[in-house]
Amino acid sequence: MSADVLVAGVGNIFLGDDGFGPEVVRHLGAPEQPPLPEPVRLVDYGIRGLHLSYDLLEGYSALIIVDAMPGLGRPGEIRVMAVDDVPDSDGPNPHGPDPHSMDPVAVLSGLPSLGGSLPPTYVVGAQPANLEEGIGLSDPLRAAVPVAGAAIRELLATRPWAGGHEQGAD
């Protein structure tokens, strides 16, 4: 592994504001943006939950998930949350893991079954305005993209996980 922190954009770009995470990742990686501090790996996972699970097996000091999160408040409102605990998985899916779905709780709770452990994890989330079929963010979410980018840069600058808190440790 060459990166210390994984910034993971998740969401379905074909469901309106659900594409918020991938759009923030594109924003942060745009050539006109200042580079992120090293060593950071920036990935648009979209709906590839299994891919994220396997990448987490590489071992990171921290994980930052960027996603649309209903129930946060006004459309476009950004929240940064530390993930203190993830519910245990209900066991393996009888049909096996779905490589084409992205349920962050299922991805994170299933990590121990793959032999991994969850690093300190933060979610940068935005309240969506529209989750209907269609490509493109609503105006409130489009305006929230640089705000979320700034929140991620702040996390990377302050590194709150470096204070000795080990998530996923026994």
Side-chain angles (χ1 to χ4, degrees):
M1 173 193 64
S2 60
D4 179 50
V5 178
L6 177 60
V7 177
V10 300
N12 188 336
I13 64 167
F14 298 109
L15 293 177
D17 288 345
D18 197 47
F20 178 73
E23 187 60 33
V24 172
V25 165
R26 277 190 287 284
H27 170 78
L28 287 170
E32 64 273 8
Q33 292 296 313
L36 293 171
E38 292 292 331
V40 173
R41 182 172 177 215
L42 189 62
V43 180
D44 169 6
Y45 285 98
I47 58 172
R48 296 172 294 136
L50 192 57
H51 185 180
L52 173 58
S53 294
Y54 281 115
D55 280 357
L56 286 170
L57 295 177
E58 294 177 21
Y60 289 91
S61 297
L63 168 64
I64 300 171
I65 296 174
V66 193
D67 197 5
M69 296 183 59
L72 291 181
R74 294 179 325 274
E77 186 173 334
I78 299 291
R79 296 268 174 91
V80 178
M81 298 165 274
V83 176
D84 292 325
D85 193 23
V86 176
D88 289 335
S89 173
D90 292 333
N93 180 337
H95 306 290
D98 183 354
H100 303 292
S101 72
M102 174 55 81
D103 174 357
V105 172
V107 168
L108 301 179
S109 66
L111 197 55
S113 69
L114 295 174
S117 62
L118 185 64
T121 300
Y122 297 82
V123 177
V124 176
Q127 170 66 37
N130 173 27
L131 295 174
E132 300 295 319
E133 285 186 20
I135 297 175
L137 300 178
S138 65
D139 289 340
L141 269 282
R142 199 172 10 264
V145 167
V147 177
I152 292 165
R153 287 182 183 281
E154 179 69 18
L155 279 171
L156 294 171
T158 60
R159 300 176 72 82
W161 54 86
H165 176 66
E166 294 291 327
Q167 286 179 283
D170 292 324

